Amino acid sequence: MKALLTICAVAVVALFTTMLARAEVLQELPPDIQKAYEGLDPKTPVGASMLSDFKPKKGPPWTIGFASSYAGNTWRAAAMDRLMNVLVPEAKEAGLVKDIVITQSDLKDAVQIQQIRQLVDQGVDIIILCCSNPTALNQSIKYAYDKGVPVISYDGFVTAPEALSVTPNFVDGGYQIAKSVIEKMGGKGNLLYVSGIAGLNTSDSFDTGALKAIAEHPDIKLIGTVQGNWTDQIAQVEVQKFLATHPETVDGIVLQSPSEIGVIQALLQSGRPVPPISLQGEFGAACYWKEHPEIADVGFYLYPPASEIYFGWNAALRVLQGQGPKIQTIARQVMKYTLEENNSQLPEDCKIDDQRWLEPKAEDWFPNSLANQVFARPSDPLTWKPQN
Amino acid sequence: MNLNEKARSLLTRNQHLLTSVCLSAFLLLVAAFRAPQLFSSSGIGSAIIVLAPLVLASLAVTPIVLAGRGGVDLSVGPLLGFLNVTLVAWLVEYGYSSPTYVIVYLVGIGVLYQIIIATIIIYVRVSPIIVTLSAYLVLTGVNLVILDRPSGVAPEWMFDWGNGATVFSPVFFVLCGMIVLWAIFSRTAFYQQILLTGGEERMAFASGVNTVGARFGAHAVAGVYTAMAALCYTALIGSGDPTQGSTYTLSAITAVVLGGTSLAGGRGGGLGSILGSICIYLISYVLATFNFGTVSGFVTQMSTGVVLVMSLLVNSAISRPAGETK
């Protein structure tokens, strides 16, 4: 009985200390950086990073593993283009990276689990993941950590305590984006919501934020929700189906990108006016905005593909350099862009079927001011020199 | 002479295994050169935990296919997903997560579901593909209603099952146990009745086989194996996922076909499905050692497809002369 009590007491104390430690790391960050964590998905780990004292076994130069989950849309293509044509060459030139090994799991978690383990056994120095299932890979991330291979998840978090996640705040992003459309609508009218992929974490987080904004405005009537599957063609068909069966006016559309140009085309085909709509950087939709400035006041970068992979890549190099992340998740807020900035990135004769993406400056997406706060021994990865 | 005859009969009986045996041997050989770490303790350990749900799901589909009449269970994946999400969202959530509860629940629901499906197929006489496709769609939706995103945790006793750093993990013993069970099952008269029903239904009926019973039995066995696949899958991901289960339908059926089991029924067996699953794993493993970059996902799919067609061609080529000489 006594032993049981002691165990209980120890457990309680341990629980409190971890809770305190968890709260402390976040509270030590400057208030403006803490803001990015507000409303973040409650399962996102924000405790002290287990990689704070990590040192690689060897190198530089390092071999990087990229266990990608999918490669079949414009978003992934834009990210891969930045990785292979800019990030890897410049890191090779700086003598930091020897090779990159990329695997694709075609959205099958079991295959991604196999590939993570395979990359570890193959001897890569670090593994980068993109926007994966937040819980399914945890055992494999632990497997990698136990063998001295850290895992960085970008554009979405994983709940494994061993990993470092770098992610935009999707909940707050969904909220801000929906709110801007609602304000443009004058706070009243019929709203259509084009969601992402049901059952995927980032999509659900965005939903949470968007629905919160809608709930705050009682005069907004949510007349329908369709799944755009983050694919223009699917969003187009789904919105067409919706419009065919709903004769009422649509006064505003909140959507998860990429789908904006599909939605705009569905409206044009059905002869409806394009109401206020949310924009997240698809070139085609940006081009439409240039010609029709009345559809939005502002655009949002929530997960610009090339900047997101820069974020993950930059963090991975810093971890390899032993810069010591302080916290398990580095979060950042949604970033607004104006119509002028939109137009300045577009070519003169832009087309609405252009597959590229608007991007913020990479340095703005993961600025040194943020990196200097979340890493214990910060230094620019490309000019960093190994000590001793 | 006697020995020779025995060997020959063994060979004829296991003709359907030819492609999967050759293919897995070839892939193992390539792996030995390209990625020898596969044969380390952690390499095999990882392979076992990743393979277990697929092997068990393909064993679940096998008896239904063997029982003939175009039977194939398209809903095996979503059923696996359903068991996974309900285990996480209901049993663990409400504290009924002891091993006994979990296994009784999984097997009970798995068998119950299959009996319902079998009843519709047998008595309402709707084509199995239509019934199981509808079930696929229904379950896919239901899974998302029960768990709207990947979340939850596996039962506590299962936490280190998904580690796979060593060969002899709990998943290894579950898998071995289920394979031994299959070996026993395939030596029963009941199994012979399933084969007979699938091969020549009229003859089976005329010679006194309870064909309806055989069909029900085949579905019940499928329920048990799907349940164990769901158990191993939950251990693998350590949580619940509403959409991933569905990916097992195609992989499991591919494994069954690769293993030489005829979709027309009556011919094939569990060993083939196991080898077929191993082939699927090895194809993806070996291809991942080549750096195909962005297109590697498609290369894997394409290769699996090509291998599947080739194995079907080989199978039909070797089984036809045997049929003609009769």
Side-chain angles (χ1 to χ4, degrees):
Chain A
M1 188 65 201
K2 214 172 185 181
L4 201 69
L5 273 177
T6 331
I7 292 171
C8 280
V10 169
V12 167
V13 169
L15 192 70
F16 268 107
T17 6
T18 40
M19 276 169 68
L20 267 173
R22 188 186 155 89
E24 260 170 18
V25 187
L26 189 53
Q27 270 160 18
E28 272 169 15
L29 297 176
D32 58 317
I33 290 176
Q34 274 187 44
K35 259 188 112 163
Y37 291 79
E38 277 171 21
L40 205 60
D41 197 303
K43 296 209 176 67
T44 317
V46 288
S49 174
M50 289 171 72
L51 297 168
S52 54
D53 296 318
F54 171 80
K55 287 265 182 300
K57 285 169 285 187
K58 54 181 194 318
W62 296 292
T63 303
I64 313 243
F66 181 21
S68 167
S69 56
Y70 186 57
N73 62 18
T74 59
W75 191 89
R76 304 276 182 157
M80 201 52 82
D81 180 61
R82 174 69 64 95
L83 178 69
M84 299 314 280
N85 297 326
V86 179
L87 300 175
V88 173
E90 79 184 6
K92 275 188 176 167
E93 201 165 297
L96 297 172
V97 168
K98 184 166 56 188
D99 203 5
I100 177 156
V101 186
I102 301 169
T103 60
Q104 301 286 355
S105 60
D106 254 341
L107 298 177
K108 287 184 192 141
D109 290 342
V111 175
Q112 201 174 11
I113 286 171
Q114 169 223 322
Q115 289 170 341
I116 291 172
R117 289 159 184 269
Q118 201 173 349
L119 287 170
V120 173
D121 292 346
Q122 233 171 63
V124 301
D125 295 293
I126 198 165
I127 292 176
I128 302 176
L129 304 173
C130 166
C131 31
S132 304
N133 184 319
T135 51
L137 309 176
N138 287 5
Q139 291 279 2
S140 305
I141 291 168
K142 182 171 183 301
Y143 175 89
Y145 178 83
D146 289 344
K147 295 200 164 193
V149 180
V151 174
I152 314 293
S153 162
Y154 85 87
D155 191 61
F157 67 95
V158 289
T159 53
E162 300 87 359
L164 172 65
S165 302
V166 299
T167 177
N169 188 332
F170 287 97
V171 180
D172 183 57
Y175 176 77
Q176 303 263 0
I177 288 170
K179 206 171 145 204
S180 87
V181 174
I182 290 170
E183 277 165 7
K184 182 81 185 162
M185 290 164 70
K188 60 178 192 300
N190 294 337
L191 183 81
L192 170 64
Y193 179 43
V194 181
S195 181
I197 299 180
L200 255 56
N201 206 64
T202 39
S203 175
D204 274 3
S205 298
F206 190 110
D207 287 354
T208 310
L211 294 177
K212 184 179 157 216
I214 294 167
E216 281 175 5
H217 295 82
D219 293 334
I220 291 287
K221 188 175 166 218
L222 183 62
I223 53 168
T225 302
V226 298
Q227 302 289 333
N229 274 31
W230 291 330
T231 310
D232 286 304
Q233 292 79 357
I234 295 176
Q236 185 173 351
V237 173
E238 290 299 317
V239 172
Q240 270 168 349
K241 279 197 278 189
F242 177 85
L243 293 175
T245 49
H246 291 76
E248 62 263 50
T249 56
V250 178
D251 304 310
I253 297 178
V254 175
L255 54 81
Q256 287 192 26
S257 183
S259 69
E260 43 265 58
I261 199 62
V263 172
I264 289 174
Q265 269 165 348
L267 288 161
L268 296 178
Q269 279 167 352
S270 63
R272 305 250 195 141
V274 178
I277 190 169
S278 61
L279 295 160
Q280 270 179 258
E282 266 194 321
F283 246 57
C287 186
Y288 189 84
W289 189 24
K290 185 181 171 188
E291 287 152 16
H292 303 84
E294 71 281 1
I295 60 168
D297 288 333
V298 65
F300 289 89
Y301 294 124
L302 180 55
Y303 36 87
S307 307
E308 277 289 273
I309 202 162
Y310 166 83
F311 194 2
W313 177 261
N314 189 291
L317 290 182
R318 286 173 187 267
V319 169
L320 279 173
Q321 292 167 352
Q323 296 191 18
K326 292 181 191 165
I327 189 164
Q328 287 164 323
T329 299
I330 305 175
R332 68 147 295 123
Q333 279 178 300
V334 63
M335 188 192 277
K336 289 181 184 173
Y337 61 87
T338 59
L339 182 58
E340 289 73 47
E341 199 187 330
N342 180 75
N343 294 352
S344 70
Q345 286 198 43
L346 293 172
E348 211 37 58
D349 54 341
C350 68
K351 296 194 176 59
I352 68 165
D353 56 359
D354 197 321
Q355 305 272 305
R356 288 172 293 168
W357 287 76
L358 298 179
E359 292 283 345
K361 283 202 189 75
E363 306 82 79
D364 292 343
W365 193 246
F366 184 37
N368 277 331
S369 58
L370 172 57
N372 290 345
Q373 297 298 335
V374 291
F375 283 92
R377 297 168 289 278
S379 154
D380 185 328
L382 290 178
T383 55
W384 167 90
K385 289 274 168 287
Q387 278 137 11
N388 67 53
Chain B
M1 183 64 194
N2 199 9
L3 203 71
N4 196 359
E5 251 172 32
K6 251 189 185 166
R8 191 171 295 167
S9 106
L10 196 73
L11 217 65
T12 354
R13 254 190 301 135
N14 293 316
Q15 216 174 30
H16 65 278
L17 294 179
L18 186 73
T19 30
S20 50
V21 168
C22 293
L23 184 63
S24 44
F26 168 73
L27 289 167
L28 282 172
L29 197 70
V30 178
F33 283 107
R34 299 277 322 167
Q37 65 270 13
L38 173 63
F39 302 99
S40 66
S41 154
S42 59
I44 299 173
S46 296
I48 286 168
I49 59 162
V50 174
L51 255 172
L54 178 58
V55 168
L56 294 171
S58 69
L59 283 178
V61 180
T62 310
I64 297 180
V65 172
L66 286 177
R69 219 193 263 171
V72 60
D73 186 7
L74 296 180
S75 65
V76 63
L79 175 61
L80 189 159
F82 176 79
L83 294 171
N84 164 250
V85 295
T86 51
L87 168 58
V88 167
W90 296 346
L91 267 69
V92 176
E93 196 67 22
Y94 296 109
Y96 296 101
S97 58
S98 76
T100 328
Y101 279 133
V102 167
I103 290 171
V104 168
Y105 169 78
L106 292 179
V107 173
I109 298 293
V111 172
L112 180 70
Y113 168 86
Q114 284 293 354
I115 295 292
I116 295 171
I117 293 293
T119 312
I120 299 173
I121 292 173
I122 294 166
Y123 291 114
V124 189
R125 291 184 166 271
V126 186
S127 152
I129 289 207
I130 305 297
V131 177
T132 57
L133 179 63
S134 319
Y136 179 106
L137 297 172
V138 170
L139 283 177
T140 306
V142 167
N143 291 351
L144 274 167
V145 172
I146 296 171
L147 203 66
D148 58 1
R149 60 166 87 187
S151 55
V153 284
E156 241 170 78
W157 48 273
M158 222 188 253
F159 271 4
D160 54 346
W161 284 33
N163 190 307
T166 51
V167 178
F168 299 105
S169 60
V171 174
F172 172 81
F173 294 111
V174 170
L175 185 61
C176 286
M178 292 313 285
I179 290 174
V180 168
L181 209 64
W182 181 274
I184 297 169
F185 166 60
S186 66
R187 271 160 189 73
T188 58
F190 173 58
Y191 181 77
Q192 293 304 323
Q193 294 187 353
I194 293 180
L195 281 186
L196 206 58
T197 307
E200 272 305 337
E201 190 168 358
R202 266 186 213 184
M203 202 171 78
F205 186 73
S207 42
V209 172
N210 180 354
T211 53
V212 170
R215 285 240 154 72
F216 268 112
H219 276 272
V221 172
V224 174
Y225 276 86
T226 313
M228 297 320 277
L231 183 80
C232 291
Y233 179 66
T234 308
L236 177 68
I237 65 168
S239 55
D241 190 306
T243 57
Q244 281 289 318
S246 307
T247 60
Y248 278 94
T249 292
L250 270 185
S251 316
I253 295 173
T254 311
V256 170
V257 175
L258 261 182
T261 298
S262 157
L263 284 180
R267 212 155 40 81
L271 185 56
S273 304
I274 298 170
L275 286 170
S277 308
I278 294 175
C279 288
I280 291 181
Y281 179 80
L282 287 175
I283 289 173
S284 129
Y285 193 92
V286 165
L287 286 177
T289 65
F290 296 91
N291 210 345
F292 286 116
T294 53
V295 294
S296 65
F298 310 121
V299 173
T300 311
Q301 276 185 331
M302 196 183 73
S303 315
T304 314
V306 170
V307 165
L308 190 64
V309 171
M310 304 249 291
S311 87
L312 282 175
L313 285 177
V314 172
N315 271 341
S316 71
I318 52 176
S319 63
R320 190 168 299 151
E324 278 167 4
T325 49
K326 267 183 191 168

